[in-house]
Structure formats: C-alpha cells, structure tokens
Amino acid sequence: MVPHLITALTGPINELEQRILESMPAVERWFRLEWMEHTPPFYCSVDIRNAGFKLAPVDTNLYPGGWNNLTQEMLPLAVQAAMAAIEKICPEAKNLLVVPENTKNSFYLSNIAQLQKIFRMAGLNVRVGSIDPDIKKATAVDLPGGETITLEPVVRGKRRLGLKNFDPCTILLNNDLTAGPPGILEDLHEQYLLPPLHAGWSVRRKSRHFQSYEEVAKRFGKMLGIDSWLVNPMFNRCGELDFFKEEGMDCLRTNVDALLTKIRKKYKEYGINEKPFVIVKDDHGTHGMGIMTVRDVKDLELIRQRPKNKPPVGKTGQAITDVIIQEGVLTAERINDAVAEPVVYLMDRYVVGGFYRVHAERGSDENLNAPGSTFVPLAFAESTRLPQPGQKPGASAPNRFYMYGVIGRLAMLAASYELEATDPHAESYD
C-alpha cells in the first residue's frame, strides 16, 4: 500500500525529486565514496517525514526494533545485507548471540525472532542471550504469530560473553542501553560487540546526531546543487533544564523563538503557507515519550503548568533535563485518512525494507511514535532498485521509495560520523 499525498508535490520537493533521479549515478557514486571512508552502523532505522515541500529524517535508531513489521518480501535483501556485514567484521563467524531488551513483551520479542531468522539464513547459529537478572534458566516465550522464542541467561567468562555450551564470535545488541552499559557487556576484547557500547543512549545525543546530519546534508546538497534545508531539519539544544523552576527555561524560550524565526524565514523564501512548529524532546532516547509540539513560545508555559507529579519523562522514567529543539516537519501522507510516516530499515549500507507508521488520532504536526500507532509494511526490494526517471514527481511509488532510501542512507552516514566522533578507542591527534 502506498499512502496518498494530501497535497500535490510542487515547488522545491518536486525539483528535489527530479534532481536526485536525474543525478542517480552521481548520488550512488557519492555514497560509494563515503562508505570507503566511513564504516556504517551495523543496522539502523530512520523515521522520515514528507511535508510535500520538504523531506527529512526526524529520528535515527541504532538499535532498531520492529523488524517483525517488515514484509516477508524484504527477507532476501536483509539476508544479503547481513551476510555482507558479517563478512566484513568476522568472516569466520559461526555463532551469533543476540542480546535483547530486558522484557518478555511478546510483540518486541517477535522482532528478535525475525532477526534470529535473518541471521540463520545468513549462515549463523543464532541464540538469544538475556542479561535480565530475572532470566535464570532457558525460558520459552510464545509469540503472537504462533512461534516460540527461547531466552537463555548469559554466562560471562573472564573476557568473553556467551551461553552454556555456546561461544559466539559476535554479539548483536538490540538493547539501546538507555540506563547505561551493564558491566557484563564491558571489556569484551576478544569478541565483536555490535553496535558498540558508545552507540547506546547513555552516550548518544540526538543533537550530536543531527549536527553530523547537517554536515552530511550540506555536502550532499553541494554535490547536487540544492538547498540542504530541503532534506535537513534545523535544530537547537538546551541543557540543564527544570520544567518546574526557572532553571534553563530562558534558554528554552530563546532557542524555540530563534528556531521558529528561522523556519518562518525559510517558509517565506519558498512561499509555504503553513504554520511553523518545533518539536521539543529528550536529547537521548525517547521511545516516543516526553515529546512536545510547540507552535509558539507561549506553549512552553502550558508545559510548566502540568501537575508537579507529571513532568515530561523519558524511557527510564527520569525527568527530562536536556532537550533538542527540532524543526517540525509536517507529514503530507495519509492511509485511510490517518496520518502516516515512512520508517526505513538499513543493515550495513543497504536499504532492506520499511513500513509506514500510521496514527489515526494524531495530527500532521504531531509525533506518531505513540500508543495507538499501527504499521503498514512496505517491500523496498524492488522499489529501491528500480526508480523511474521521467515520471511525474510523487506519482511513482518506486521513485518515492528511492527518495526515502536516499534520506535513510544520509541519516545512516551521519550516524557513522557520529560514532567516529564519540568512539572512546579512536586515536586522537590533538
């Protein structure tokens, strides 16, 4: 299913699609050269918004769940990408240990089961090792599709992590480490840990990612001869906030006002008749929590008027004290009159699939990653490979999916820049 656009593609994004399709050889060569210089994250998912006049990522997850929401048609691409990724890292790999979040939620574990299937098809023995202290023996969990997954307690040796009678060369994390890396995962010098610990939310910051993305977008825009704003959400950041005292609120008001002013200027430049807004969210790992849409500085007062026992909180229940203020990007896509946004999945440097996140109770300027959202899977297998230059912009599903794949790869490239900058083991030339 391909969502319809509520507005015809006109003006800047029309020209953007034409420019990218006409420049496809240059675009692909540009990515190829970038990947020669930078190592992509092992896998990621990218939330994208298509405003009809702008196409940009709004979040990049380096520990993507939701693999079970992808269509079965994407499996061959995912398996090929998994093979390529493993061959680069550990060609002789035989055993793979998947470490999930500490939960028995069957819908989340369906995602783990899909990853297990992908890597088995890629030629690995795959088992699931839990670091949850409550898992003390092999525990079978029934899944919604009728399958069963077995969680086993991990066993930590002096320098290796594994299971009883199972010694993996590679450990795949599907746990975003919001609360910090547990000691059991540290100092594994004789095993490959993917992604690395510094990709977790205890180290990552959205503002750092989008700073890297801005750099990538500017270079991409220069190569194509386009305004990078068309693919880049502007942002500001504020730290040391307390929503119920005055600490940090002046910083927040000033930065919200400054960003809204910059967006209005861009809207005027392109003749866009929409009301600008910004998204204020936790600067590290939100899982759709604590996200606020702000259309005017006055809206910030409404946040402060919340009951004292209901502050904006992140995934671990901690009060949010550092925020990214991100340019809001409308979504102009609809499925059965419900707002929708594409989510692109990548492994190694390849687009392997995606789905539309759909929410019937949210507006086009609101966060859709919230309770009540549903998923419509998309098979990118043919769509990303067979764009059709010359088609009317926006009319061709393969062209639209190819565009989403380009944006997803830009975000993945930004994540590689980001991880290089935060790598504690990287050589310093200061």
Side-chain angles (χ1 to χ4, degrees), residues 224-239:
L224 272 185
I226 62 166
D227 180 356
S228 62
W229 176 75
L230 297 173
V231 296
N232 178 41
M234 298 184 290
F235 74 95
N236 286 328
R237 176 184 172 272
C238 279

PDB file of all heavy atoms in Angstrom, residues 224-239:
ATOM      1  N   LEU A 224      24.762  18.063  -5.210  1.00  0.00           N
ATOM      2  CA  LEU A 224      23.594  18.086  -6.094  1.00  0.00           C
ATOM      3  C   LEU A 224      23.243  19.488  -6.589  1.00  0.00           C
ATOM      4  O   LEU A 224      22.469  19.631  -7.530  1.00  0.00           O
ATOM      5  CB  LEU A 224      22.374  17.523  -5.360  1.00  0.00           C
ATOM      6  CG  LEU A 224      22.129  16.024  -5.398  1.00  0.00           C
ATOM      7  CD1 LEU A 224      20.806  15.709  -4.719  1.00  0.00           C
ATOM      8  CD2 LEU A 224      22.140  15.478  -6.811  1.00  0.00           C
ATOM      9  N   GLY A 225      23.781  20.522  -5.919  1.00  0.00           N
ATOM     10  CA  GLY A 225      23.416  21.884  -6.275  1.00  0.00           C
ATOM     11  C   GLY A 225      22.033  22.263  -5.777  1.00  0.00           C
ATOM     12  O   GLY A 225      21.265  22.928  -6.479  1.00  0.00           O
ATOM     13  N   ILE A 226      21.687  21.814  -4.550  1.00  0.00           N
ATOM     14  CA  ILE A 226      20.374  22.122  -3.962  1.00  0.00           C
ATOM     15  C   ILE A 226      20.560  22.745  -2.589  1.00  0.00           C
ATOM     16  O   ILE A 226      21.627  22.644  -1.981  1.00  0.00           O
ATOM     17  CB  ILE A 226      19.497  20.852  -3.823  1.00  0.00           C
ATOM     18  CG1 ILE A 226      20.184  19.850  -2.874  1.00  0.00           C
ATOM     19  CG2 ILE A 226      19.200  20.230  -5.181  1.00  0.00           C
ATOM     20  CD1 ILE A 226      19.291  18.738  -2.391  1.00  0.00           C
ATOM     21  N   ASP A 227      19.506  23.371  -2.086  1.00  0.00           N
ATOM     22  CA  ASP A 227      19.480  23.903  -0.731  1.00  0.00           C
ATOM     23  C   ASP A 227      19.363  22.727   0.234  1.00  0.00           C
ATOM     24  O   ASP A 227      18.374  21.980   0.190  1.00  0.00           O
ATOM     25  CB  ASP A 227      18.284  24.854  -0.595  1.00  0.00           C
ATOM     26  CG  ASP A 227      18.167  25.476   0.799  1.00  0.00           C
ATOM     27  OD1 ASP A 227      18.969  25.115   1.683  1.00  0.00           O
ATOM     28  OD2 ASP A 227      17.272  26.323   0.976  1.00  0.00           O
ATOM     29  N   SER A 228      20.343  22.538   1.105  1.00  0.00           N
ATOM     30  CA  SER A 228      20.328  21.381   2.010  1.00  0.00           C
ATOM     31  C   SER A 228      19.151  21.416   2.977  1.00  0.00           C
ATOM     32  O   SER A 228      18.782  20.381   3.554  1.00  0.00           O
ATOM     33  CB  SER A 228      21.641  21.295   2.788  1.00  0.00           C
ATOM     34  OG  SER A 228      21.828  22.440   3.599  1.00  0.00           O
ATOM     35  N   TRP A 229      18.524  22.588   3.165  1.00  0.00           N
ATOM     36  CA  TRP A 229      17.367  22.675   4.063  1.00  0.00           C
ATOM     37  C   TRP A 229      16.237  21.747   3.607  1.00  0.00           C
ATOM     38  O   TRP A 229      15.455  21.264   4.425  1.00  0.00           O
ATOM     39  CB  TRP A 229      16.851  24.113   4.123  1.00  0.00           C
ATOM     40  CG  TRP A 229      15.605  24.260   4.944  1.00  0.00           C
ATOM     41  CD1 TRP A 229      15.507  24.248   6.300  1.00  0.00           C
ATOM     42  CD2 TRP A 229      14.255  24.402   4.449  1.00  0.00           C
ATOM     43  NE1 TRP A 229      14.187  24.380   6.693  1.00  0.00           N
ATOM     44  CE2 TRP A 229      13.408  24.480   5.566  1.00  0.00           C
ATOM     45  CE3 TRP A 229      13.692  24.477   3.172  1.00  0.00           C
ATOM     46  CZ2 TRP A 229      12.027  24.627   5.449  1.00  0.00           C
ATOM     47  CZ3 TRP A 229      12.323  24.620   3.050  1.00  0.00           C
ATOM     48  CH2 TRP A 229      11.504  24.700   4.179  1.00  0.00           C
ATOM     49  N   LEU A 230      16.171  21.466   2.322  1.00  0.00           N
ATOM     50  CA  LEU A 230      15.102  20.614   1.796  1.00  0.00           C
ATOM     51  C   LEU A 230      15.161  19.194   2.349  1.00  0.00           C
ATOM     52  O   LEU A 230      14.169  18.470   2.309  1.00  0.00           O
ATOM     53  CB  LEU A 230      15.159  20.576   0.266  1.00  0.00           C
ATOM     54  CG  LEU A 230      14.928  21.923  -0.441  1.00  0.00           C
ATOM     55  CD1 LEU A 230      15.172  21.779  -1.932  1.00  0.00           C
ATOM     56  CD2 LEU A 230      13.515  22.434  -0.162  1.00  0.00           C
ATOM     57  N   VAL A 231      16.329  18.784   2.859  1.00  0.00           N
ATOM     58  CA  VAL A 231      16.458  17.440   3.418  1.00  0.00           C
ATOM     59  C   VAL A 231      16.951  17.463   4.867  1.00  0.00           C
ATOM     60  O   VAL A 231      17.244  16.415   5.442  1.00  0.00           O
ATOM     61  CB  VAL A 231      17.420  16.566   2.567  1.00  0.00           C
ATOM     62  CG1 VAL A 231      16.864  16.346   1.168  1.00  0.00           C
ATOM     63  CG2 VAL A 231      18.820  17.170   2.504  1.00  0.00           C
ATOM     64  N   ASN A 232      17.033  18.645   5.453  1.00  0.00           N
ATOM     65  CA  ASN A 232      17.653  18.774   6.775  1.00  0.00           C
ATOM     66  C   ASN A 232      16.756  19.524   7.754  1.00  0.00           C
ATOM     67  O   ASN A 232      16.390  20.677   7.511  1.00  0.00           O
ATOM     68  CB  ASN A 232      18.995  19.517   6.642  1.00  0.00           C
ATOM     69  CG  ASN A 232      19.673  19.724   7.981  1.00  0.00           C
ATOM     70  OD1 ASN A 232      19.682  18.847   8.833  1.00  0.00           O
ATOM     71  ND2 ASN A 232      20.239  20.915   8.172  1.00  0.00           N
ATOM     72  N   PRO A 233      16.387  18.899   8.881  1.00  0.00           N
ATOM     73  CA  PRO A 233      15.614  19.627   9.905  1.00  0.00           C
ATOM     74  C   PRO A 233      16.560  20.450  10.776  1.00  0.00           C
ATOM     75  O   PRO A 233      17.473  19.913  11.391  1.00  0.00           O
ATOM     76  CB  PRO A 233      14.947  18.508  10.704  1.00  0.00           C
ATOM     77  CG  PRO A 233      15.893  17.360  10.599  1.00  0.00           C
ATOM     78  CD  PRO A 233      16.604  17.487   9.258  1.00  0.00           C
ATOM     79  N   MET A 234      16.348  21.752  10.817  1.00  0.00           N
ATOM     80  CA  MET A 234      17.190  22.604  11.666  1.00  0.00           C
ATOM     81  C   MET A 234      16.918  22.282  13.142  1.00  0.00           C
ATOM     82  O   MET A 234      15.860  21.751  13.482  1.00  0.00           O
ATOM     83  CB  MET A 234      16.893  24.083  11.380  1.00  0.00           C
ATOM     84  CG  MET A 234      17.198  24.488   9.948  1.00  0.00           C
ATOM     85  SD  MET A 234      16.952  26.272   9.629  1.00  0.00           S
ATOM     86  CE  MET A 234      15.160  26.407   9.718  1.00  0.00           C
ATOM     87  N   PHE A 235      17.877  22.621  14.011  1.00  0.00           N
ATOM     88  CA  PHE A 235      17.676  22.300  15.426  1.00  0.00           C
ATOM     89  C   PHE A 235      18.500  23.234  16.312  1.00  0.00           C
ATOM     90  O   PHE A 235      19.462  23.869  15.878  1.00  0.00           O
ATOM     91  CB  PHE A 235      18.068  20.838  15.714  1.00  0.00           C
ATOM     92  CG  PHE A 235      19.557  20.600  15.731  1.00  0.00           C
ATOM     93  CD1 PHE A 235      20.266  20.622  16.924  1.00  0.00           C
ATOM     94  CD2 PHE A 235      20.253  20.372  14.553  1.00  0.00           C
ATOM     95  CE1 PHE A 235      21.632  20.420  16.945  1.00  0.00           C
ATOM     96  CE2 PHE A 235      21.629  20.163  14.564  1.00  0.00           C
ATOM     97  CZ  PHE A 235      22.320  20.192  15.762  1.00  0.00           C
ATOM     98  N   ASN A 236      18.101  23.297  17.580  1.00  0.00           N
ATOM     99  CA  ASN A 236      18.880  23.902  18.658  1.00  0.00           C
ATOM    100  C   ASN A 236      18.876  22.932  19.829  1.00  0.00           C
ATOM    101  O   ASN A 236      18.180  21.910  19.792  1.00  0.00           O
ATOM    102  CB  ASN A 236      18.277  25.249  19.109  1.00  0.00           C
ATOM    103  CG  ASN A 236      18.533  26.362  18.103  1.00  0.00           C
ATOM    104  OD1 ASN A 236      19.553  26.366  17.422  1.00  0.00           O
ATOM    105  ND2 ASN A 236      17.607  27.304  18.009  1.00  0.00           N
ATOM    106  N   ARG A 237      19.631  23.259  20.873  1.00  0.00           N
ATOM    107  CA  ARG A 237      19.690  22.370  22.035  1.00  0.00           C
ATOM    108  C   ARG A 237      19.714  23.194  23.318  1.00  0.00           C
ATOM    109  O   ARG A 237      20.255  24.295  23.346  1.00  0.00           O
ATOM    110  CB  ARG A 237      20.964  21.509  21.957  1.00  0.00           C
ATOM    111  CG  ARG A 237      21.173  20.610  23.164  1.00  0.00           C
ATOM    112  CD  ARG A 237      22.487  19.851  23.099  1.00  0.00           C
ATOM    113  NE  ARG A 237      22.730  19.145  24.350  1.00  0.00           N
ATOM    114  CZ  ARG A 237      23.334  19.658  25.404  1.00  0.00           C
ATOM    115  NH1 ARG A 237      23.798  20.898  25.369  1.00  0.00           N
ATOM    116  NH2 ARG A 237      23.484  18.946  26.509  1.00  0.00           N
ATOM    117  N   CYS A 238      19.119  22.652  24.376  1.00  0.00           N
ATOM    118  CA  CYS A 238      19.204  23.263  25.706  1.00  0.00           C
ATOM    119  C   CYS A 238      19.481  22.171  26.740  1.00  0.00           C
ATOM    120  O   CYS A 238      18.853  21.114  26.708  1.00  0.00           O
ATOM    121  CB  CYS A 238      17.897  23.957  26.079  1.00  0.00           C
ATOM    122  SG  CYS A 238      17.736  25.592  25.363  1.00  0.00           S
ATOM    123  N   GLY A 239      20.402  22.457  27.659  1.00  0.00           N
ATOM    124  CA  GLY A 239      20.717  21.503  28.709  1.00  0.00           C
ATOM    125  C   GLY A 239      20.427  22.082  30.081  1.00  0.00           C
ATOM    126  O   GLY A 239      20.110  23.263  30.226  1.00  0.00           O
TER     127      GLY A 239
END
